[in-house]
Amino acid sequence: MIKKIAIDISNILINSTPSRDFDGLVGMRAHLEKMKPLLCLDTDEVRIIGIWGPPGIGKTTIARVVYNQLSHSFQLSVFMENIKANYTRPTGSDDYSAKLQLQQMFMSQITKQKDIEIPHLGVAQDRLKDKKVLVVLDGVNQSVQLDAMAKEAWWFGPGSRIIITTQDQKLFRAHGINHIYKVDFPPTEEALQIFCMYAFGQNSPKDGFQNLAWKVINLAGNLPLGLRIMGSYFRGTSREEWKKLLPRLENSLDADIQSILKFSYDALDDEDKNLFLHIACFFNGKEIKILEEHLAKKFVEVRQRLNVLAEKSLISFSNWGTIEMHKLLAKLGGEIVRNQSIHEPGQRQFLFDGEEICDVLNGDAAVSSLHCSLQYLVYLKTNHLDLFSCSFISG
Ligand SMILES: Nc1ncnc2c1ncn2[C@@H]1O[C@H](COP(=O)(O)OP(=O)(O)OP(=O)(O)O)[C@@H](O)[C@H]1O
Ligand SMILES: [Mg+2]
């Protein structure tokens, strides 16, 4: 009994230590300020709050900081991290058994009891309806996950807060969640600080590295994920090595960044994947109406599909009517097409690199397989789109 009391007191002390986790993070105070009115902590109502934004923008990081700051003032708390990757639905299971399994994991984590067995889906509401809980469901990508773990606000006791992070805004609509924090790209000054924290362990570039740092930030397009991975990549390297490594980053996408971003691409259906690749390779920054004109025959309901990609934060629409895809996502699209046939460019769905187009046009081996791609390229070209490099024209 003494041992148990000691452990309980120790746990209470650990949990009540204020978190200093955001010391190394940039702009976190501003995020917390913006989250405050959404969290509205001084009311007894139960609130479900969404955090929405593209992959790698910092949703999990923000949710983690909020959780660390607040969890000590709730009776029970749980942070279910990266649900889309860690709790995938077993193949062949029906909706009910998938939900049961998810609720089982959820209950086991929130009550800190291993091997909990739940017979039906009413258990969560039964056990939690009079408890003030803080729940973070991070990286949700399917409705079934919310149905299993936080279907209704009244499942939880007064004062509870449920925070859900996702790339897919549609999930919020489907579950009637209206308190949403949309995470924006950090301003350039902040992006520089994020990059420098990872590259130099301080928030500004070391002497002599200013220009190189700006070049890398430009490549990462202010995306925190890119800034972190590229920053860590350069940590401890000399100026000469930086200069050697930079071209590699310019020409290809780092494997870690690629695998994280590809998660979102893999979750699309085949038609949406195809549209994603068209945008990545040809229509990024182009007017929506131009894309609609050119792809109307290729895709049924192009506009609706564009909206799906926008809801999943893979593209956005500018105020002046263009489609914007983040440069790392566009690079991912290019890599996917390139990987369709690494050694024989003529076998790929598209050709968009001027040099490769010239090579393929100059060789004769792949001409027949190129036929299709060429028709496509020429089709766009004759529609006066400036989509191809000069080398294609000269080729
Ligand atoms: N404000 C910040 N300061 C420093 N680093 C940050 C900041 N925000 C995010 N990062 C870093 O960027 C990376 C990506 O952030 P995070 O995992 O939170 O993105 P996400 O939006 O949850 O992505 P996904 O949609 O793939 O889950 C993390 O490694 C994180 O440490
Ligand atoms: Mg995340």
Side-chain angles (χ1 to χ4, degrees):
M1 188 194 263
I2 290 171
K3 203 170 169 184
K4 188 174 177 325
I5 292 170
I7 290 172
D8 282 355
I9 291 175
S10 163
N11 282 341
I12 290 167
L13 284 175
I14 289 170
N15 286 334
S16 60
T17 313
S19 154
R20 278 182 266 279
D21 272 2
F22 65 93
D23 283 355
L25 299 172
V26 177
M28 218 25 89
R29 267 175 224 288
H31 285 302
L32 292 181
E33 278 305 309
K34 289 184 205 152
M35 289 282 297
K36 240 188 203 165
L38 296 168
L39 286 162
C40 201
L41 288 169
D42 39 13
T43 67
D44 253 359
E45 65 172 301
V46 179
R47 269 204 178 203
I48 306 187
I49 301 110
I51 301 182
W52 173 58
I57 193 101
K59 301 179 293 297
T60 304
T61 310
I62 296 169
R64 174 71 73 189
V65 170
V66 171
Y67 180 84
N68 289 348
Q69 296 280 309
L70 301 180
S71 60
H72 66 275
S73 50
F74 289 78
Q75 275 174 290
L76 295 175
S77 58
V78 66
F79 192 103
M80 305 276 291
E81 185 161 351
N82 206 358
I83 291 175
K84 61 181 184 294
N86 295 334
Y87 309 98
T88 45
R89 181 183 177 158
T91 41
S93 70
D94 63 23
D95 247 18
Y96 194 84
S97 55
K99 282 186 212 166
L100 207 57
Q101 211 177 359
L102 277 166
Q103 192 171 103
Q104 201 153 296
M105 285 189 282
F106 170 67
M107 286 309 292
S108 145
Q109 290 199 30
I110 197 166
T111 57
K112 304 201 172 31
Q113 272 178 276
K114 266 194 205 155
D115 308 324
I116 246 183
E117 283 247 350
I118 60 165
H120 57 82
L121 289 172
V123 174
Q125 66 200 73
D126 241 35
R127 292 280 305 271
L128 303 175
K129 67 178 183 298
D130 53 1
K131 298 268 188 312
K132 182 181 171 187
V133 299
L134 175 64
V135 173
V136 177
L137 302 179
D138 169 57
V140 170
N141 67 342
Q142 292 169 351
S143 254
V144 68
Q145 297 153 348
L146 291 183
D147 288 346
M149 297 185 276
K151 187 162 188 219
E152 307 286 350
W154 49 259
W155 281 15
F156 308 97
S160 294
R161 293 293 178 270
I162 319 301
I163 299 173
I164 293 161
T165 82
T166 183
Q167 291 164 23
D168 191 353
Q169 195 190 24
K170 199 170 107 200
L171 284 174
F172 294 146
R173 240 195 356 255
H175 288 260
I177 298 165
N178 305 318
H179 303 293
I180 299 170
Y181 178 45
K182 177 175 175 286
V183 189
D184 285 322
F185 286 94
T188 312
E189 268 308 311
E190 249 175 47
L192 176 70
Q193 288 180 24
I194 295 178
F195 174 76
C196 292
M197 289 307 289
Y198 293 105
F200 311 111
Q202 59 187 45
N203 63 8
S204 57
K206 277 192 180 157
D207 276 352
F209 282 86
Q210 273 88 346
N211 283 343
L212 290 170
W214 281 115
K215 277 190 186 156
V216 183
I217 288 158
N218 188 30
L219 284 177
N222 289 18
L223 185 73
L225 169 74
L227 294 166
R228 188 206 82 201
I229 293 178
M230 292 186 190
S232 314
Y233 187 70
F234 284 110
R235 187 153 196 157
T237 51
S238 67
R239 263 172 59 88
E240 281 57 44
E241 280 174 292
W242 272 59
K243 284 187 190 154
K244 255 193 255 160
L245 291 170
L246 255 174
R248 207 190 302 164
L249 280 184
E250 274 162 12
N251 295 328
S252 65
L253 196 58
D254 173 273
D256 288 338
I257 300 179
Q258 184 162 334
S259 72
I260 292 171
L261 297 182
K262 194 153 180 290
F263 227 100
S264 325
Y265 169 82
D266 287 339
L268 298 173
D269 72 27
D270 286 348
E271 283 286 275
D272 291 340
K273 278 183 184 158
N274 199 6
L275 181 58
F276 176 95
L277 295 181
H278 276 78
I279 297 171
C281 298
F282 299 114
F283 293 99
N284 195 11
K286 301 281 179 280
E287 282 179 43
I288 303 172
K289 68 175 196 307
I290 291 185
L291 178 142
E292 283 178 329
E293 268 168 33
H294 286 86
L295 299 184
K297 284 202 190 112
K298 192 156 181 61
F299 295 93
V300 191
E301 295 167 335
V302 186
R303 189 61 202 229
Q304 213 167 311
R305 291 196 178 277
L306 284 175
N307 288 340
V308 169
L309 293 182
E311 278 184 337
K312 291 184 190 292
S313 340
L314 295 172
I315 57 169
S316 59
F317 305 122
S318 71
N319 292 338
W320 46 96
T322 57
I323 300 166
E324 304 297 330
M325 179 179 276
H326 189 273
K327 57 171 79 171
L328 294 181
L329 284 169
K331 230 175 191 177
L332 169 76
E335 294 276 321
I336 291 170
V337 172
R338 200 166 289 122
N339 286 335
Q340 289 169 350
S341 173
I342 294 177
H343 301 297
E344 285 191 53
Q347 302 282 348
R348 295 177 200 153
Q349 185 177 1
F350 312 126
L351 286 169
F352 48 89
D353 176 84
E355 226 168 272
E356 283 179 345
I357 292 168
C358 282
D359 287 348
V360 174
L361 288 176
N362 285 332
D364 44 33
V367 165
S368 62
S369 59
L370 177 69
H371 187 64
C372 243
S373 311
L374 255 186
Q375 266 185 340
Y376 188 53
L377 293 174
V378 173
Y379 167 67
L380 287 170
K381 190 66 203 159
T382 51
N383 278 278
H384 310 292
L385 272 173
D386 180 25
L387 294 172
F388 307 107
S389 66
C390 296
S391 50
F392 170 66
I393 299 163
S394 66

